[in-house]
Amino acid sequence: MRVAMIGTGYVGLVSGACFADFGHDVVCVDKDASKIARLEKGEIPIFEPGLDDLVAANVRQGRLSFAVDGSDAIRQADAVFIAVGTPSRRGDGHADLTYVYAAAEEIAGLIDGFTVVVTKSTVPVGTGDEIEQIIRAKRPDAEFAVVSNPEFLREGAAINDFKRPDRVVVGTEDERAQNVMRELYRPLNLNETPIVFTGRRTSELIKYAANAFLAMKITFINEVADLCEAVGADVQAVARGIGLDKRIGSKFLHAGPGYGGSCFPKDTLALVRTANDYGAPITLVDTTVKVNDARKKAMAGKIARALGGDVKGKRVGILGLTFKPNTDDMRDAPSLDVVPGLQAMGAVVQAYDPEGRHEAEKLLSGVEFKDGPYEAAEAADVLVILTEWDQFRALDLDRVKLLMKQPVVVDLRNVYRPEDMKARGFDYVGIGRGKA
Ligand SMILES: NC(=O)c1ccc[n+]([C@@H]2O[C@H](COP(=O)([O-])OP(=O)(O)OC[C@H]3O[C@@H](n4cnc5c(N)ncnc54)[C@H](O)[C@@H]3O)[C@@H](O)[C@H]2O)c1
């Protein structure tokens, strides 16, 4: 199959490289010329484990290439994927579909022969209908079908998620389009991956419902963690105790500083807006959004309390700034609330992140960026674990203690065990660990 991927970001580049690895001919298109120039030089513009080797191998074998101008690729394509960003629209929280519709306009002018236009971007219910109308209005003669195929990959584990997904969702009733989609994903038959064929609107909603459910699950355990602190219970044990129940499941039950990232915050908000527009409000998700926003803002206060409530003039060392480990993605990361919150209270912030510094420097001001975890601990009054990168899981704690001004650790990811930290002489605060 010939594939044109419009948008070469986290999703477009991973999907494009994986489809090429499945044996298809893929051109990844992006209007950001500097991104394409870097890719053509063999550089990967984002940090995603394994992506450099996958891209290099498929470029070498002639199945993957890059372009700023996607005209030829779109004309020749059996399937054109739209994988552009759908950020929150400023002011109202609806998904901003400007990039999606611009891509649809471009595609419309170029369709040649039966073409499947696939929306991989996360888009609100009804967007597929809109894309169809845009293309139909410009090209009444064109032979095409618009399909919804939401992406469920997680940054940090994106390649494995794309190649071994729990399921693939395909929203279309067009039989020819279904066959093209089956062919594209045929290599997944080996693992017997379920392909859920459904209507387009249903498919669009599945993506939002999935993200909202996961965001709600995280927010649930976060509130239980607060209760654990109040009553003297251990949220880790509660999570295990409920997670072993197969109806609940153990994933997404890690209490922390509140969810962030490029998807959950904007997608939960967009779902709330859509539900309100259609007169069918989803109060649970609405509440989840509010609880999570408040939680991220409250974390600076939690850190201050570990120092007796006052951080004025105090030096705070932060480990991890990205919204989760194994990515350089800083979009809506909890650090974007925590760091300015601490600075507003008069703290001096020094921080280390293994891959996020480049992005963090654009978004956080007044931070002293350090080159390693021990440098971030040096002379600190408190050390905060904000993102659970593997390298923070086995720190030389005696060295950390010697370096710090005073041995106070706030572990917002529950990486360490309270009793171990106490035994080593730390004043330690985790999340939801009133008592073991
Ligand atoms: N990042 C994730 O983990 C993830 C997971 C699942 C779904 N999604 C969804 O996938 C979509 C893309 O997300 P992302 O994180 O890859 O975004 P991104 O910002 O990393 O990438 C989007 C890319 O599209 C390019 N672009 C925009 N308009 C274009 C056009 N007309 N022609 C060519 N290129 C264009 C941009 O320059 C950018 O490089 C979003 O809807 C998102 O919600 C993201």
Side-chain angles (χ1 to χ4, degrees), residues 335-353:
S335 62
L336 298 178
D337 284 306
V338 173
V339 171
L342 289 165
Q343 290 169 327
M345 288 187 277
V348 177
V349 175
Q350 57 187 28
Y352 167 67
D353 189 281

Side-chain angles (χ1 to χ4, degrees), residues 5-13 29-32 35 46 67-68 82-87 98-100 102-104 106 120-123 150-155 158 207-208 211 262-263 266-267 323-324 329 331:
M5 185 68 65
I6 312 299
T8 306
Y10 286 86
V11 166
L13 184 55
V29 180
D30 205 291
K31 62 178 184 186
D32 180 343
K35 204 175 251 188
I46 55 170
V68 177
I82 300 177
V84 301
T86 49
T98 317
Y99 305 107
V100 172
E106 285 163 36
K120 212 166 226 337
S121 299
T122 302
V123 294
E151 183 49 55
F152 298 97
L153 64 77
R154 294 162 300 170
E155 287 172 20
K207 173 64 189 174
Y208 281 99
N211 274 1
S262 63
C263 291
K266 78 172 176 65
D267 292 348
F323 85 94
K324 67 170 170 181
D329 201 336
R331 287 178 281 186

